[in-house]
Amino acid sequence: MSGEMIPSIHIRDIDWEKCWFNPGCAMSIYKPELIEPMLALLREHFGAVKYHNVCCRHDPGLPEGAVIINNCAGCDRRFRSEYPGIRTITFWELLDSVEGLRLPVYDGLTVSVHDSCSFRRKPQVHAAVRNILRKMHIEIVESEFSGTKSICCGDNFYSHLPNERVAELQKKRAAQMPCENVVVYCIGCVRSMSVGGKQPLYLPDLVFGRRTEKMENTLDAYHGDLNDYIEAH
């Protein structure tokens, strides 16, 4: 692929007095029950990480040298590229660094992984996600287009193409997954895999032993909820 890979801030370089966890708009709407346990896990292993819920489309209002721990690829991209002085790292990179981390075990579960397209240039995130899955005894069958070659699930084409065409792209992307169960780490990808007939497994759900429900709401309803949240935060 074209373009240089994008590093995250190294864990040893994080000033934990200037570190915030931002779960992202979509998780705050669709999986709010996961925010508290994710933040608690960070605090258990990394100290007094603070909570931040300002949408990435608005000035985060944080000091120079601040670090945002994110769960959303779009948030990672916007915070690090649009706001000078802000560095980012994913929840997954931090989680993967914890020695002896207690995780659920899913013996016999075989999955494919859909990598968020906004993380395409961050192979360190792809590696961390797969390391965590293997620590949970999950077998991975890779698709042809994964990691740095990943293809958008289709959701980013919303408002740029007719909804019917977006749905076609979502079904096409889902069909490229070799397994029925597809691990995703973006809420929009949960919806896309649902539309495509696959069983999405949202990575935060797996880490905390929860079930991922398929998302049945329409594109307009999904993005309408997001826009309402963005305006309010």
Side-chain angles (χ1 to χ4, degrees), residues 27-127:
M27 171 179 273
S28 298
I29 297 171
Y30 291 100
K31 290 283 182 174
E33 69 276 10
L34 290 169
I35 296 173
E36 183 176 343
M38 290 176 78
L39 185 57
L41 195 57
L42 289 171
R43 288 173 172 170
E44 177 184 353
H45 295 287
F46 300 100
V49 176
K50 295 173 279 294
Y51 177 60
H52 185 264
N53 71 340
V54 176
C55 175
C56 62
R57 290 172 175 81
H58 307 306
D59 189 325
L62 298 178
E64 180 83 15
V67 172
I68 294 179
I69 302 167
N70 65 80
N71 166 68
C72 168
C75 293
D76 182 271
R77 175 173 52 81
R78 292 187 189 94
F79 279 130
R80 64 176 157 76
S81 64
E82 297 183 12
Y83 305 103
I86 303 296
R87 301 288 298 278
T88 62
I89 190 169
T90 65
F91 180 83
W92 310 113
E93 292 163 271
L94 289 171
L95 206 63
D96 184 39
S97 75
V98 176
E99 295 290 336
L101 181 67
R102 298 182 303 276
L103 291 167
V105 171
Y106 297 93
D107 286 323
L109 178 60
T110 301
V111 305
S112 296
V113 180
H114 170 70
D115 295 295
S116 303
C117 57
S118 289
F119 279 143
R120 192 179 295 134
R121 293 168 61 193
K122 299 194 94 173
Q124 68 273 27
V125 178
H126 312 149

Side-chain angles (χ1 to χ4, degrees), residues 31-226:
K31 290 283 182 174
E33 69 276 10
L34 290 169
I35 296 173
E36 183 176 343
M38 290 176 78
L39 185 57
L41 195 57
L42 289 171
R43 288 173 172 170
E44 177 184 353
H45 295 287
F46 300 100
V49 176
K50 295 173 279 294
Y51 177 60
H52 185 264
N53 71 340
V54 176
C55 175
C56 62
R57 290 172 175 81
H58 307 306
D59 189 325
L62 298 178
E64 180 83 15
V67 172
I68 294 179
I69 302 167
N70 65 80
N71 166 68
C72 168
C75 293
D76 182 271
R77 175 173 52 81
R78 292 187 189 94
F79 279 130
R80 64 176 157 76
S81 64
E82 297 183 12
Y83 305 103
I86 303 296
R87 301 288 298 278
T88 62
I89 190 169
T90 65
F91 180 83
W92 310 113
E93 292 163 271
L94 289 171
L95 206 63
D96 184 39
S97 75
V98 176
E99 295 290 336
L101 181 67
R102 298 182 303 276
L103 291 167
V105 171
Y106 297 93
D107 286 323
L109 178 60
T110 301
V111 305
S112 296
V113 180
H114 170 70
D115 295 295
S116 303
C117 57
S118 289
F119 279 143
R120 192 179 295 134
R121 293 168 61 193
K122 299 194 94 173
Q124 68 273 27
V125 178
H126 312 149
V129 165
R130 284 155 177 79
N131 288 342
I132 292 166
L133 292 175
R134 293 187 182 101
K135 289 173 185 177
M136 295 190 289
H137 298 194
I138 297 174
E139 181 180 349
I140 302 166
V141 179
E142 296 286 8
S143 65
E144 179 181 359
F145 303 105
S146 63
T148 59
K149 298 187 294 183
S150 185
I151 296 172
C152 177
C153 70
D155 187 71
N156 280 349
F157 293 102
Y158 177 75
S159 79
H160 301 288
L161 294 173
N163 285 0
E164 295 78 9
R165 178 57 180 152
V166 174
E168 290 174 5
L169 292 172
Q170 291 172 322
K171 292 174 183 177
K172 179 179 179 180
R173 182 62 178 136
Q176 293 169 341
M177 297 293 129
C179 298
E180 177 66 22
N181 293 304
V182 181
V183 171
V184 298
Y185 39 108
C186 165
I187 294 287
C189 300
V190 172
R191 188 189 176 281
S192 291
M193 291 300 122
S194 299
V195 169
K198 297 292 185 176
Q199 175 56 57
L201 300 176
Y202 188 45
L203 187 52
D205 281 330
L206 287 172
V207 165
F208 294 103
R210 298 171 182 259
R211 181 175 178 270
T212 301
E213 304 82 8
K214 288 191 174 184
M215 293 177 65
E216 305 295 342
N217 52 344
T218 66
L219 266 172
D220 288 335
Y222 172 69
H223 283 276
D225 289 344
L226 283 179

